[in-house]
Amino acid sequence: MKKHFGKKFNCTTGLMYISLVSLLVIQPAIGQEGSRSNLVSAEWLSKNLGNKDLVILDASPAQAFKAGHITGAVNYDLFSYGPRELPVPEVEKRYQSWGISPGKKIIIYDQGGTMLATRLLFSLDYYGFPGKNIYILDGGISKWKESGYEVTADVIQPAKGSFTINRLNNAVKADLPEFLDASGDPAKNSLVEALDPSWHYGELNVFGRRGHIPNAIMLPVADFYNPDKTFKSNEEIIKILNYRGIDPGKTVYTHCGGGIAASVPYFAIKYLLGRPDVKLFPGSQLEWAADPRELPFWTYDAPYLIRDAGWLQGWGGRMMRMYGISNVSFIDVRSKEAFSKGHIEYAVNLSPVDLEADFNSPGKMAELFSVAGVNDSAEAVIISGGGLTKEAALAFVALEKTGQKKISVFMDTEDTWEKSGFKIISVETGIDATKPVIEKTNSATGYPVNTRNGIIITDPASVKGIFPRIVIESGNGISSKIREGKIINLQYTDLLNSDGAPKPAKDIWSILSKAGVPEYAEIVCYSDDPGEAAIVYFTLRLMGFPDIKMLVD
């Protein structure tokens, strides 16, 4: 929707008509020339510098402002004050000192491609200045200079404004209790995090806690800008949001480390796209980390795909089963011989021979899962005896393909089972693990087939992602079926520790980045050994890549 400078009048006198025409001739309407929504172009601002109804705010650091700024601009250096919330009278006094009055149009800029102008826009929005009258100079002073327009070192003191803060716009701001509730309900909320991968995956240790807030969706500030520091088009931003599952209808909560970078996705989603349910959490990770409850941080995007001994014993152990509240199936994917020699109590065997033979047949896999007692609405925990083995990864992909809702892989190695407190069952105990016992909940289930498309594919041409295709090849050669996409060779062993567990998130990201795997891509995993491709697939799921497929010949 285009926004026009000044009010829309129904003129009843010639004088009013002449005045309006004069105004429009001198100052073209905001939205009519080189702008969209709450953005204005350098060209538009150059033509409107003399407009007395404009307030131009430079949000760059003070040193940059002194080096050169747009004529008539007033500087606000956020770092001189910090993002903390100040008393309302002090904020009001500051706004008036900038010349802000009701009916004015505010143009904000910074260096371009950064977060300072958008953070000032959020503050004005929160303190009640009409959002429809606040604009960002697209590309900042960088685009202004690139367009050949002059800067000055002269500083002006504007006439005092008359804007008063009568209300706070609490609808645009979230506090910690609300944000905490939202983090636990990703079906209704999207927690957009404006930080880069080094922070998100735990390489940086800023607040003594590595990683990100649970269920946070990484959208770095840079992802919203073009190389010339202007904002990407609405179509490109929507494409990014769709890829990340940030769907219309969900409430968006933007956050970052300290509440500044979060203003970029806030502005882009709320103002450029016009989505109403967008809030900024100013406290962000700083407040989350300082909470005395020691709220959790994640490094992987999907850490629940990995289970440890404590979790298995708690949710899948004897007590939970005795009370009938265990909703967990243990699936041991070792050989029949290894299984018979000793396995974790309540586990059932899914032979790797059968798994590999029927891997690409959802119907046959469903029969195997039914016999194994897998409940499609429960969590299926895959046990391999060696972490993320080929067999465990194949079982994971097969379960996803057949529609299993919750799946995880147990990472403890076989030689640590008894040390971890597990009861080990073997043929010598007199218990036949293929038959149910009184505490056992793994009887045949009649496993349904709810095939998910786009997980295991046999024809690459039959599917197409939102972003360009990347093929990760982890074997000894590439499939003749692959005729499209950049091919990256990456051995599955590079992603695992010596004990078979995935490497830390920060190390996996570094490996993927160096190999050339982009943040946005349709990723196809392939190997002449399907188990190797399955390990890469699982690792990418653990890291939060949303568009992953596995190709089988």
Side-chain angles (χ1 to χ4, degrees):
M1 179 180 293
K2 293 182 178 180
K3 296 176 180 283
H4 297 278
F5 182 80
K7 295 182 179 179
K8 183 177 180 181
F9 293 95
N10 292 319
C11 299
T12 57
T13 68
L15 180 60
M16 291 179 67
Y17 178 80
I18 293 171
S19 298
L20 178 60
V21 170
S22 299
L23 178 64
L24 293 177
V25 169
I26 297 171
Q27 292 103 5
I30 291 181
Q32 289 184 344
E33 282 193 28
S35 63
R36 77 179 200 264
S37 297
N38 289 69
L39 289 176
V40 297
S41 67
E43 180 184 5
W44 185 94
L45 183 57
S46 174
K47 292 178 179 179
N48 286 269
L49 277 183
N51 188 340
K52 295 181 180 180
D53 285 325
L54 290 186
V55 175
I56 304 174
L57 302 179
D58 185 324
S60 306
Q63 186 174 0
F65 176 80
K66 291 176 182 177
H69 53 267
I70 296 172
T71 300
V74 179
N75 183 229
Y76 171 64
D77 182 358
L78 175 65
F79 296 110
S80 296
Y81 301 94
R84 65 191 185 280
E85 190 171 326
L86 299 173
V88 169
E90 184 174 341
V91 175
E92 181 177 280
K93 182 178 179 181
R94 181 180 302 160
Y95 286 0
Q96 291 176 356
S97 73
W98 297 344
I100 296 178
S101 297
K104 295 279 191 178
K105 306 293 182 180
I106 299 178
I107 313 296
I108 311 172
Y109 72 89
D110 53 24
Q111 303 96 312
T114 183
M115 62 198 79
L116 300 177
T118 53
R119 185 58 174 82
L120 181 51
L121 176 142
F122 168 77
S123 295
L124 286 159
D125 194 356
Y126 172 65
Y127 285 109
F129 195 85
K132 65 181 181 179
N133 291 337
I134 315 173
Y135 299 83
I136 300 290
L137 174 60
D138 202 13
I141 199 167
S142 174
K143 192 68 177 177
W144 176 268
K145 292 177 180 178
E146 181 186 306
S147 301
Y149 301 124
E150 294 182 354
V151 297
T152 182
D154 296 338
V155 178
I156 61 100
Q157 180 58 50
K160 183 179 179 181
S162 59
F163 175 70
T164 57
I165 300 174
N166 298 315
R167 63 174 185 85
L168 298 178
N169 187 8
N170 289 308
V172 303
K173 177 185 174 185
D175 57 15
L176 179 58
E178 180 182 357
F179 186 80
L180 179 58
D181 286 344
S183 71
D185 192 359
K188 295 181 180 179
N189 306 291
S190 294
L191 271 59
V192 173
E193 175 202 78
L195 299 171
D196 62 27
S198 62
W199 192 318
H200 183 83
Y201 289 121
E203 180 182 348
L204 300 179
N205 184 3
V206 182
F207 303 122
R209 310 283 296 281
R210 296 182 184 273
H212 55 271
I213 291 169
N215 292 315
I217 302 170
M218 181 181 66
L219 284 183
V221 165
D223 291 1
F224 290 92
Y225 290 108
N226 294 310
D228 67 353
K229 300 183 180 181
T230 59
F231 276 94
K232 289 181 177 177
S233 69
N234 286 10
E235 292 74 19
E236 289 175 295
I237 295 171
I238 290 171
K239 188 176 177 181
I240 290 171
L241 300 185
N242 288 343
Y243 178 80
R244 291 294 187 189
I246 305 168
D247 305 318
K250 291 183 178 181
T251 300
V252 173
Y253 291 88
T254 69
H255 68 288
C256 53
I260 301 175
S263 63
V264 175
Y266 171 85
F267 173 75
I269 301 171
K270 183 175 180 64
Y271 281 94
L272 298 186
L273 301 187
R275 294 190 183 178
D277 295 329
V278 184
K279 299 186 176 187
L280 189 149
F281 174 38
S284 289
Q285 280 197 11
L286 177 60
E287 186 174 355
W288 183 279
D291 191 272
R293 292 168 291 185
E294 296 190 358
L295 299 174
F297 277 77
W298 289 355
T299 52
Y300 300 117
D301 269 26
Y304 43 82
L305 300 183
I306 295 175
R307 296 303 187 192
D308 59 19
W311 191 94
L312 254 65
Q313 290 169 333
W315 289 102
R318 180 175 294 270
M319 180 176 293
M320 291 294 187
R321 293 178 187 274
M322 183 172 63
Y323 286 107
I325 55 177
S326 176
N327 204 22
V328 179
S329 298
F330 293 168
I331 305 172
D332 191 317
V333 293
R334 296 174 301 149
S335 68
K336 294 183 183 295
E337 293 75 19
F339 182 80
S340 65
K341 290 179 181 179
H343 58 268
I344 292 174
E345 189 177 20
Y346 307 118
V348 292
N349 187 224
L350 183 62
S351 168
V353 175
D354 296 334
L355 179 65
E356 293 179 21
D358 299 325
F359 174 70
N360 197 31
S361 173
K364 291 182 179 180
M365 290 304 306
E367 291 179 14
L368 289 175
F369 297 150
S370 178
V371 172
V374 181
N375 184 337
D376 70 310
S377 63
E379 177 163 349
V381 183
I382 303 165
I383 300 171
S384 71
L388 185 61
T389 62
K390 296 178 185 179
E391 295 78 17
L394 283 172
F396 179 90
V397 178
L399 283 161
E400 280 211 326
K401 175 70 173 178
T402 53
Q404 182 72 23
K405 293 180 177 63
K406 295 184 70 176
I407 320 163
S408 57
V409 178
F410 181 49
M411 290 297 163
D412 277 8
T413 57
E414 188 176 351
D415 58 1
T416 64
W417 288 353
E418 287 190 282
K419 295 177 184 177
S420 299
F422 285 102
K423 183 177 181 180
I424 305 302
I425 304 297
S426 66
V427 174
E428 285 74 20
T429 64
I431 297 177
D432 183 351
T434 64
K435 297 179 180 178
V437 293
I438 191 167
E439 300 95 345
K440 205 164 185 175
T441 60
N442 300 81
S443 55
T445 58
Y447 194 94
V449 181
N450 297 313
T451 305
R452 294 178 185 167
N453 296 321
I455 293 177
I456 301 173
I457 60 173
T458 56
D459 179 12
S462 66
V463 293
K464 191 172 184 64
I466 298 176
F467 286 93
R469 176 172 294 172
I470 297 292
V471 180
I472 298 182
E473 190 278 316
S474 52
N476 297 315
I478 198 67
S479 171
S480 60
K481 296 180 179 179
I482 298 174
R483 297 183 177 87
E484 178 189 355
K486 178 183 177 182
I487 297 173
I488 295 174
N489 182 268
L490 181 64
Q491 297 304 307
Y492 78 97
T493 51
D494 294 340
L495 304 173
L496 303 178
N497 291 320
S498 58
D499 62 357
K503 287 182 176 178
K506 62 181 181 63
D507 296 336
I508 294 174
W509 175 258
S510 176
I511 291 166
L512 295 174
S513 182
K514 289 177 181 177
V517 179
E519 186 182 344
Y520 299 98
E522 176 202 26
I523 300 177
V524 176
C525 305
Y526 175 78
S527 173
D528 52 345
D529 181 342
E532 297 179 357
I535 288 177
V536 176
Y537 176 96
F538 176 90
T539 307
L540 292 173
R541 284 274 284 105
L542 185 66
M543 293 292 288
F545 284 84
D547 189 4
I548 322 164
K549 304 169 178 72
M550 179 175 160
L551 174 65
V552 295
D553 286 325

